[in-house]
Amino acid sequence: MTTPSEPGIDPSLSVIMSERRQLINLAYRLLGSLADAEDVVQETYARWYAMTPQQQEAIQSPGAWLTTVASRICLDVLGSARARRERYVGEWIPEPLPKPSEWVTADPADRVTLDESINMAFLVVLESMTPAERVAFILHDVFRYSFAEVGEIVGRSQVACRQLASSARRRLRTSQAPAAPAARPGIVSDFKQAWEAKDIKALIGLLDPDATAVIDGGGLVSAGLRPIEGSEQIARYLLAIAGMSPGLTLLERTVNGQPGLVAQQDGVTVTVAAFDVTGDRIKQIWAVRNPEKLRPWTVQPQP
């Protein structure tokens, strides 16, 4: 929705800038990285302002133009991201996001809206898709663009875009576990208390026997280079972390719309973890320790 322009501000500029939040939301879902999403949006606006006023006026729908350009840039970024991920040290996890009211950095226009399309399980599956599948699926199934519009954006036929989105849906269905009981309220709180108490028996009891923990340190901080599998192995790893980090503070937070924990050391966020809970057990933990991915969670020091 276009907001009224402020006095003294070019109305056309107000219209263009009002699209920023939509572009950030789109680019984050396409890339799984807030930093990359911000770069894409910046490049999109740079291309807009590189045009002459006459060229800008000739564009009937600036919002559609911006979406098209941002999507195409994302498509290029996704193509090169696979090579970058192969060089990434350890496991790569999408950048975790707090709920909008808890962002400690960024302009409100850069805060991503939370819904089921950004939970960790969903974003991790998106990583298994081809760039074209991911773009077609997100544009159509999440942002509700018609296949005719998707085709114009990605430069493919409507039939091809339907096939891409259908293939993406199959990947999602294959990855989804059978219907399970709803998550037990308070399980993350119980997990936090067990971790703080260093109660290994309680931790194991709250984890599914086949649970998996994936830790992303990016080679910048200590983290397991491979997923940790099994409730006992995960519990022992967590206790080892607690032993090496005296004074660690654990906070319950919403992470990408899911129950989560934030670990702080001397007031600095050092780990953000999202949980996938099935019934009364934790099935999956995604923990991000790479400091470059924790900007929305970290208060910047005042100069």
Side-chain angles (χ1 to χ4, degrees):
M1 179 185 301
T2 301
T3 56
S5 58
E6 297 180 19
I9 295 181
D10 181 355
S12 62
L13 175 61
S14 177
V15 171
I16 291 300
M17 295 311 295
S18 70
E19 298 291 333
R20 182 175 178 86
R21 184 163 191 172
Q22 169 84 350
L23 297 176
I24 285 285
N25 273 274
L26 172 65
Y28 173 76
R29 285 163 174 80
L30 288 176
L31 303 176
S33 165
L34 183 62
D36 287 347
E38 290 169 342
D39 289 344
V40 165
V41 174
Q42 182 175 349
E43 174 62 21
T44 299
Y45 278 110
R47 294 187 187 185
W48 172 266
Y49 289 113
M51 294 190 294
T52 65
Q54 293 76 18
Q55 289 172 320
Q56 293 174 357
E57 291 173 3
I59 296 173
Q60 293 184 347
S61 175
W65 185 92
L66 291 167
T67 296
T68 297
V69 172
S71 298
R72 289 175 178 172
I73 296 173
C74 285
L75 194 55
D76 291 339
V77 172
L78 285 169
S80 61
R82 294 198 168 194
R84 297 203 312 270
R85 304 278 162 77
E86 289 176 358
R87 299 192 298 270
Y88 196 83
V89 178
E91 296 289 325
W92 188 94
I93 298 175
E95 195 168 336
L97 299 180
K99 59 185 181 182
S101 62
E102 293 179 352
W103 286 63
V104 296
T105 61
D107 185 276
D110 290 343
R111 297 176 185 177
V112 176
T113 304
L114 300 183
D115 62 28
E116 63 182 8
S117 69
I118 68 156
N119 72 48
M120 279 294 176
F122 187 89
L123 290 175
V124 168
V125 177
L126 291 181
E127 287 297 309
S128 69
M129 298 179 185
T130 68
E133 285 175 342
R134 186 165 182 166
V135 173
F137 174 76
I138 292 294
L139 285 172
H140 180 267
D141 285 40
V142 177
F143 286 86
R144 301 303 177 188
Y145 285 87
S146 69
F147 281 119
E149 293 170 317
V150 175
E152 291 180 4
I153 290 172
V154 302
R156 301 198 183 204
S157 69
Q158 292 186 49
V159 172
C161 291
R162 286 182 184 274
Q163 292 173 340
L164 288 167
S166 177
S167 175
R169 291 187 206 107
R170 284 196 298 272
R171 291 182 188 269
L172 279 171
R173 286 195 298 270
T174 300
S175 69
Q176 290 174 341
R184 173 171 68 78
I187 188 170
V188 173
S189 178
D190 292 344
F191 189 85
K192 169 181 174 291
Q193 292 176 15
W195 192 0
E196 289 173 332
K198 299 181 176 60
D199 186 339
I200 189 169
K201 184 176 180 180
L203 285 172
I204 292 173
L206 292 167
L207 290 161
D208 185 276
D210 297 321
T212 302
V214 181
I215 300 96
D216 177 347
L220 301 177
V221 296
S222 61
L225 297 180
R226 294 180 179 81
I228 302 170
E229 299 180 348
S231 56
E232 184 173 347
Q233 288 78 5
I234 294 172
R236 293 189 182 282
Y237 175 84
L238 292 172
L239 293 187
I241 291 292
M244 292 186 294
S245 307
L248 197 68
T249 300
L250 300 178
L251 305 170
E252 289 185 63
R253 292 290 185 268
T254 298
V255 181
N256 285 63
Q258 294 175 274
L261 289 176
V262 169
Q264 294 185 339
Q265 189 80 48
D266 299 324
V268 177
T269 297
V270 293
T271 303
V272 174
F275 294 77
D276 188 12
V277 182
T278 301
D280 60 354
R281 298 290 181 92
I282 294 168
K283 182 71 175 177
Q284 179 86 41
I285 301 173
W286 294 277
V288 176
R289 305 197 68 235
N290 182 343
E292 294 181 349
K293 294 184 176 183
L294 301 179
R295 290 180 303 128
W297 305 85
T298 304
V299 177
Q300 301 298 317
Q302 296 298 317

